[in-house]
Amino acid sequence: METGLGEGVVRLVILGGPGAGKGTQAELLCRHFSIPWIATGEILREAIAQKTELGGKAQPFVEKGELVPDPTMIEFIQSRLVLPNASKGWLLDGYPRTAFQAEELDFLLEDLQQRLDWAIWIDVPDAVLTSRSLARSRQDDRPEIVQRRIEQFRDCTIPILEYYERRQRLITINGDRSPEEVSQEIQAKL
Ligand code: AMP
């Protein structure tokens, strides 16, 4: 993968609705840049299974397909981004989920004297998100929950896109294509 980003520390956010293909692209990017993939949804599911304190706080919201409250998420991300393996950069998947979280992330990075390189938005039409999500078989992917998550994505994520757009940190990718084509467009734009 050839990109305009140098060899140094790379910090990325990947954005997209449920079923946008974020996971596939995240994996490719993390392998290429040798950075950890910090997927908050997966981390929360794991925390719930392990019955940790974070899991206990998140469980009632995750089960309903609602967003976990900002203070819990911000506290988590603060603790995660100071771990040793975050010093070489990272890719955040599932965070930020609200404009407030995006702003708090910038405040945190400022404190750490760090900077986000890019927010990559994988843009996919709602109808495609719905059919791709229903094709997956996770327990929280029942039709009404899928619908709720897509609505939530629209309500909460659009302000995040605007937030990064205004700061010239947004890369928009057409995600309604094959994973290879999506990956090529990301490479070309980074
Ligand atoms: P995901 O796998 O990214 O769709 O996340 C699954 C669930 O985890 C979401 O439906 C939320 O309940 C919760 N979640 C994950 N990331 C966040 C976040 N940044 N803020 C609030 N809730 C989150």
Side-chain angles (χ1 to χ4, degrees):
M1 193 190 271
E2 283 291 326
T3 72
L5 288 173
E7 288 299 302
V9 176
V10 177
R11 300 185 187 91
L12 302 170
V13 159
I14 193 159
L15 300 164
K22 277 183 304 177
T24 307
Q25 300 304 325
E27 199 176 342
L28 291 170
L29 286 163
C30 287
R31 203 182 311 144
H32 174 73
F33 291 114
S34 302
I35 50 176
W37 175 9
I38 303 174
T40 49
E42 285 306 316
I43 290 167
L44 293 175
R45 274 189 283 274
E46 180 70 21
I48 291 167
Q50 303 284 330
K51 300 191 191 305
T52 66
E53 192 187 333
L54 173 66
K57 287 185 193 168
Q59 188 165 18
F61 302 95
V62 174
E63 279 178 351
K64 281 188 274 195
E66 301 287 344
L67 288 183
V68 176
D70 283 336
T72 302
M73 294 309 300
I74 290 161
E75 192 184 317
F76 163 73
I77 216 78
Q78 277 174 346
S79 62
R80 181 62 186 85
L81 296 190
V82 296
L83 291 184
N85 84 341
S87 65
K88 298 260 159 44
W90 33 255
L91 180 142
L92 294 182
D93 173 0
Y95 191 97
R97 276 290 230 291
T98 63
F100 186 71
Q101 290 181 4
E103 207 171 4
E104 286 293 324
L105 177 63
D106 274 343
F107 291 148
L108 171 64
L109 293 178
E110 213 174 288
D111 283 349
L112 298 172
Q113 296 184 312
Q114 296 177 354
R115 188 165 186 265
L116 180 74
D117 289 296
W118 293 109
I120 301 167
W121 178 34
I122 317 270
D123 185 16
V124 172
D126 276 4
V128 178
L129 293 183
T130 306
S131 60
R132 285 187 188 171
S133 292
L134 289 175
R136 304 192 299 199
S137 57
R138 275 200 325 238
Q139 196 211 337
D140 61 349
D141 280 341
R142 281 171 292 137
E144 64 275 22
I145 302 289
V146 166
Q147 205 48 47
R148 177 87 193 95
R149 295 232 300 271
I150 292 171
E151 281 166 20
Q152 224 175 48
F153 163 70
R154 290 285 161 217
D155 293 349
C156 296
T157 313
I158 303 300
I160 302 177
L161 302 179
E162 289 168 358
Y163 178 90
Y164 287 126
E165 179 88 81
R166 246 181 284 129
R167 285 160 182 79
Q168 299 177 330
R169 279 282 159 277
L170 188 72
I171 291 179
T172 299
I173 304 292
N174 172 8
D176 191 12
R177 294 177 304 171
S178 73
E180 292 76 21
E181 288 169 311
V182 173
S183 172
Q184 278 163 14
E185 192 184 342
I186 294 176
Q187 271 179 63
K189 288 190 170 171
L190 272 182

